[in-house]
Amino acid sequence: MANVQAVLSALQVFSSAPEKAALEQANSWLQDFQHSSDAWATCNVLLLSPEAPLAAKIFAAQTFRTKVTYDLADMSSPDLLQLRETLLKALETYHAGPRNILVQLCLAISGLSLQLPAWDDPVQDMIDAFGRNPATVPALLQFLTVLPEEVTTNTKIPITDDEYKDRSAKLLTANAMKVTDLLAMYLQAPGASFTVQIQIFNALSSWLAAGEVVAMSLLNSPLIPYSFQALTSEELFDSAVTVVCDLIHETQEVEENMPVIELIVPLVIALKPKLSEYKEDPEKIRGLARIFAEAGEAYRSLLLHHPETFFPIVEAIGECSAYSDLDIVPITFSFWMRLAQSIGKRQSVSPLFMDAYRALMDVIIRHLHFPADLTTLTGQEAENFRSFRHIMGDTLKDCCYVLGTEQCLTAAYDRITQELARPNVSWQEIEAPLFAMRSMGAEVDPNDDQAVPKIMDLIPSLPAHPRVRYAALLIVSRYTYWINKHPDYIPYQLQYISAGFEDSDQEVNAAAGQALKYLCQDCKRHLVEFLPQLHSFLATMGSKLVQDDKVQVYEAIAYVISAMPMEQAAQSLRTFSLDILGRVHALTAKTTPPTKDELVNITHDLENLEVMLGVIQSFGEQLPATCQNTHREAWAVFEPFIAKYGSEYPICERTTRVLRLSLTFFGHVLLPILPSVLIRMISSFEATGFSSYLWVAGKIVGRFGNEEDPALRAAFKDVYERASNKLVLLLQDKSPQMIPDVLEDYLQMLLQMIEFTPDVLFPSPAFPIAFRVAMAALTLVHSDIVFASLDLLRTVFTHDSLAPTSQPPPPKFPIYAAAIRPVVEHEGRELTALLLAGLVGEFPEESIPLVTTIFRVLGGLWPTQLLTWLPSVVQQLPPTVAPDQAKSAFLTDINSSIQSNDVEKVKYAMRNLHRASRKARDRRRAGPLDG
């Protein structure tokens, strides 16, 4: 057969290490082949041909599975029954493997059984065909393992909910007892190999996980005791752990399953001595930890009601939590969290549980210790350990929930004081309980007057080791809510923070910055009197701080300013701002070219100003007297600065961010200077192509677009037309994919204009350019840009001027409509092509309603043109993402909706094409060689 040879040739490409283009071509050909009707017969030949190479047989099995999932609707009922016989014959041929072929065939048979009601009892037929010969039993067990998984998880199989409920009940629910009895029989069969026993456990786990095996049905089954006995076997241990966990999980409805629980719990508790026996084998401990944690979670109500019986499970989980391998410890965390939640709902609990959480807290603090020699950790290991410490911190919060935060903090405090009393104590012994205190900070009562004062008094006397100081500073930043209630501590904390900035360790500097930020944020009213001190600190220490730390200091200062009376706050903000603006002016006035460091420093200054404005936001509608003329003064500094240095990208970014925040801060006071700002923005955009200048222009339109000032509206028009012309030039040299930021900010500006200044947008000669730019944006694989473009186009198409509801319409509506209609008629064919390409391609799922709305308007206002455009446009859609059958149905549906004057039907046509495309794309995404 020609197809056989073609498949073999395509597969050969993958084994010969060719270039990427050859691989992609072969991959695409194989995917297309899998879609074809010839694939059934060709793959059958490949699968049953002794001479076919292994790779071809695997591909054939995978193709059967894929086609069963997607293509059964193409076959008649007699053909489906014949397919069943073909698959069963293939399974008989490959009953001994290779395993990847066996699995694919079992998946195909499972998928077929779900979709073939004429196959009355697939499970019994499979048992009859493969369950009586020991040589074929492994094939049966493989089928029984994958059947529940395929039925419950393969959502790509195209059947209705009612069909699914009916078939899954017949396949799974009706056969659950039969299957468990069969598995028990095989497990007890003399001579059953470890391989078969593992398969039995895997099949049982699969049926348990699918929720088809009722726990009570196993009460008298040998499967439960056999599962626990298998834990003593090296070969069976992993499979037994999984099945035991699944058994326990299935009994979590305690009242319904009490007899089974009474059977399981003694078997679980009997495993506790194994923790000592296997202490040198982490994988064994991991398995036991899974079992104990599963039992603890499933039976936690019984633990609390009957600790005399069930508490050994808690003790075992505690031992697992204390194990040295930190990959195993988190298996227990969910149990401790859920148990803590249950304890919190009870009036009283056994002291045993309080002791368990005290021991747990001690264990966690021990795990928090950094190793004595940090060089033993690789970079990734150190990062993983730091991340894991935060996870352990959450478990400390569970301890607080049970024991009370004061008791937990006191325990950590006592641990530190005990260590400090010892000579030559290592920093790790101090740092770990400090980290624990920080983790528990969220649980601290701001009014606590027992534990936290001791901690605050302790901090200044801690060793000066960088790791200790870092941890202590982060405690300060975490406890600022408490400090706000106890302001007497602020001077001491400021001293400690200030010393942190002087430390030679950069991480300590960063922690000091964070502590100052949160102290000023949460205690801002108490810190107003310290503002001169903070200003002096910046003047003396500012040049020594790295920018990340300096920006936190400015943020901290801004929080303090925000707590001041308005006039005083305005004066303080002016003081700090003038420092920065003075340096901006000085750089602008410089007659020699600036150094790289000078440019970097000025961007840092602008970032600091940005951060302050971001915190303070605004003083309200009526600016304080101090600020009345500040906007003119500031713009007099910024305008020449942007003109001179605006071609430096970092300066552009920082300056425009400050300008954006200034819109909020100054509000309508800015109106007289806004035309000048807009002209500078568009001039700088023309000169540089930097999108941030358009971003600011769009923000100005969005905030002040309703203003009627003629100079401002002329500036809007100037910005719009010059920006559009610049876009034309940019797109002549660059593809849309190369300037996504420019397209996005341009479109966002247009969205503001269509809402606030349609009188500027539509009549302008720039409107056709704007429309084409929006179309160009549809070719990008950027969700935000596609949404912006579609939103703009949708707003254009649904504009009231195209279908006015009142007569006579508003006077400008005919002008708008006269601008829109010729553009749509000129660009309509290409637009529909782009919209449909995106619909069956890369458009985000959430954008489909926007596309549908545009098509509905096209069908309603331009029906003749749409019917003319669509045939050639639809024909161009690749069959790989838009099957021919779906394209034909789409054209028929659109024609029908327009002929019947029912544009609502357009929505269903679009939805059906999109679904068919998504199905085709999902299928191709899996790849022809994926199992």
Side-chain angles (χ1 to χ4, degrees), residues 645-658:
Y645 297 113
S647 59
E648 298 285 340
Y649 184 75
I651 286 178
C652 160
E653 284 296 292
R654 287 298 168 198
T655 308
T656 51
R657 287 171 181 269
V658 171

Side-chain angles (χ1 to χ4, degrees), residues 74 184 216 297 304 308 320 374 377 428 637 639 694 712 722 850 914:
D74 299 340
M216 283 296 293
E297 289 197 50
L304 293 169
E308 68 286 351
C320 296
L374 288 178
L377 297 178
Q428 288 90 341
V637 172
E639 203 277 338
L694 289 183
L712 182 58
R722 289 167 66 181
L850 293 171
H914 176 60

Side-chain angles (χ1 to χ4, degrees), residues 403-430:
L403 301 172
T405 306
E406 182 183 322
Q407 185 178 150
C408 293
L409 289 175
T410 301
Y413 170 84
D414 290 343
R415 188 160 183 153
I416 293 175
T417 55
Q418 291 164 14
E419 294 296 337
L420 289 174
R422 290 173 41 230
N424 303 319
V425 63
S426 71
W427 67 265
Q428 288 90 341
E429 298 293 339
I430 307 298

Side-chain angles (χ1 to χ4, degrees), residues 42 75 119 142 330 482 552 645 663 665 684 766 771 824 905:
T42 303
M75 303 181 73
W119 194 357
Q142 185 63 61
W482 183 90
Q552 295 206 81
Y645 297 113
L663 300 180
F665 183 82
S684 296
F771 197 92
V824 172
K905 289 182 180 177

